[in-house]
Amino acid sequence: MSAVAETNSEALLLVNNIEVIYDHVILVLKGVSLEVMEGGVVALLGANGAGKSTTLKAISNLLGAERGDVTKGTITFKGEDVHSLTPNELVRRGVIQVMEGRHCFEHLTVEENLLTGAYTRGGDRRGVADDLDLVYNYFPRLKDRFKSLAGYISGGEQQMVAMGRALMADPRVLLMDEPSMGLAPALVQTNFELIQQIHEEGVSIFIVEQNANMALSIADRGWVLQTGRVVLDDTAEALLANPELRASYLGESGSA
């Protein structure tokens, strides 16, 4: 696959031909290229171990904690090379990740968890208060539970907290790692409807997800990873109609 930087220089977030190595020897990503357009929704699909979460951590500069590093290629946000920035600096620029597994602060209340997402916003008290109201509008259940300790609420509510905390950071692009993981089917549907609402407010979305059907239902474009390489990329509509993809990731038989 040719580097996307050669085909589109107007992407909000551009990953161009990156390689990631763990422990100086384990090659996990092999020439991965993809893009997120301003106001777009893209999905990164693939089986367990394909390198989806590693791709997000490469963008967020979180690989160092796992002894990983981007050894080739570039990652740019709004035309700026961001590989050398700290995760904190990326958050200040609006690149926000919702981690797989929610990672709530169990000993803090729901509202305290939400407010931790705004720590980079300094003295913008009015903006933080307005965004807290917005989060409660998205997730009325959290408003009912705002004094509850996050460790004692349900998994679905913890996912709401994780998403709400990310929104409190005022994202330009939201990186979401397996937002449906561990949720009941009814909650998965609700969760993706909320992600669609967030997108309609002007936030670009990059979803890493095993539930290909749900992810592509709200995405503009998708990429498929297999053992660290992009093996397929197309519009979401075309991917949903692809018989090989439907057989491999949507659990349907009768592929060509």
Side-chain angles (χ1 to χ4, degrees):
M1 176 181 172
S2 61
V4 290
E6 297 176 1
T7 62
N8 198 324
S9 61
E10 299 179 355
L12 177 66
L13 175 66
L14 186 64
V15 177
N16 185 25
N17 202 34
I18 66 168
E19 291 187 354
V20 169
I21 292 180
Y22 283 97
D23 293 323
H24 305 291
V25 293
I26 305 171
L27 181 62
V28 178
L29 297 184
K30 311 160 190 176
V32 170
S33 296
L34 52 86
E35 64 188 13
V36 182
M37 302 303 295
E38 181 81 55
V41 181
V42 303
L44 184 61
L45 312 175
N48 280 335
K52 303 187 303 299
S53 294
T54 294
T55 302
L56 284 192
K57 291 174 184 175
I59 295 169
S60 301
N61 280 346
L62 297 175
L63 289 175
E66 300 178 353
R67 301 182 67 181
D69 191 23
V70 177
T71 56
K72 291 184 180 180
T74 59
I75 301 171
T76 60
F77 177 67
K78 296 173 63 178
E80 176 189 6
D81 190 334
V82 296
H83 175 58
S84 62
L85 298 181
T86 66
N88 180 61
E89 290 169 330
L90 276 170
V91 168
R92 291 181 185 277
R93 283 165 169 75
V95 181
I96 315 298
Q97 181 168 343
V98 180
M99 301 289 288
E100 176 186 345
R102 298 178 278 276
H103 296 284
C104 294
F105 299 107
E106 296 184 355
H107 62 289
L108 299 181
T109 67
V110 165
E111 186 158 298
E112 287 169 341
N113 265 273
L114 295 175
L115 291 174
T116 63
Y119 81 98
T120 60
R121 298 176 64 176
D124 183 20
R125 294 185 178 182
R126 178 61 181 272
V128 169
D130 289 345
D131 283 349
L132 185 60
D133 288 339
L134 180 64
V135 169
Y136 284 145
N137 183 57
Y138 282 132
F139 308 107
R141 181 63 177 161
L142 297 186
K143 188 171 186 179
D144 295 337
R145 304 295 304 274
F146 79 103
K147 289 186 177 180
S148 300
L149 293 179
Y152 292 91
I153 61 178
S154 70
E157 290 166 340
Q158 288 180 350
Q159 182 65 47
M160 295 176 192
V161 170
M163 291 173 61
R165 185 176 59 206
L167 292 177
M168 291 298 297
D170 193 21
R172 287 287 304 278
V173 58
L174 200 57
L175 313 176
M176 310 197 71
D177 196 354
E178 303 286 0
S180 71
M181 178 175 287
L183 299 183
L187 286 177
V188 171
Q189 178 67 39
T190 300
N191 206 22
F192 273 87
E193 289 173 356
L194 288 167
I195 293 170
Q196 181 64 35
Q197 289 180 37
I198 292 167
H199 165 246
E200 290 171 357
E201 293 292 331
V203 179
S204 303
I205 306 287
F206 181 11
I207 303 175
V208 161
E209 180 59 69
Q210 286 197 62
N211 189 333
N213 197 41
M214 289 300 302
L216 292 174
S217 72
I218 67 169
D220 308 311
R221 193 169 188 86
W223 280 259
V224 180
L225 275 184
Q226 185 176 17
T227 60
R229 297 183 186 275
V230 173
V231 295
L232 187 63
D233 73 90
D234 211 329
T235 65
E237 183 180 6
L239 290 175
L240 280 169
N242 184 299
E244 183 178 353
L245 183 72
R246 299 190 70 85
S248 299
Y249 297 101
L250 306 184
E252 298 181 5
S253 59
S255 63

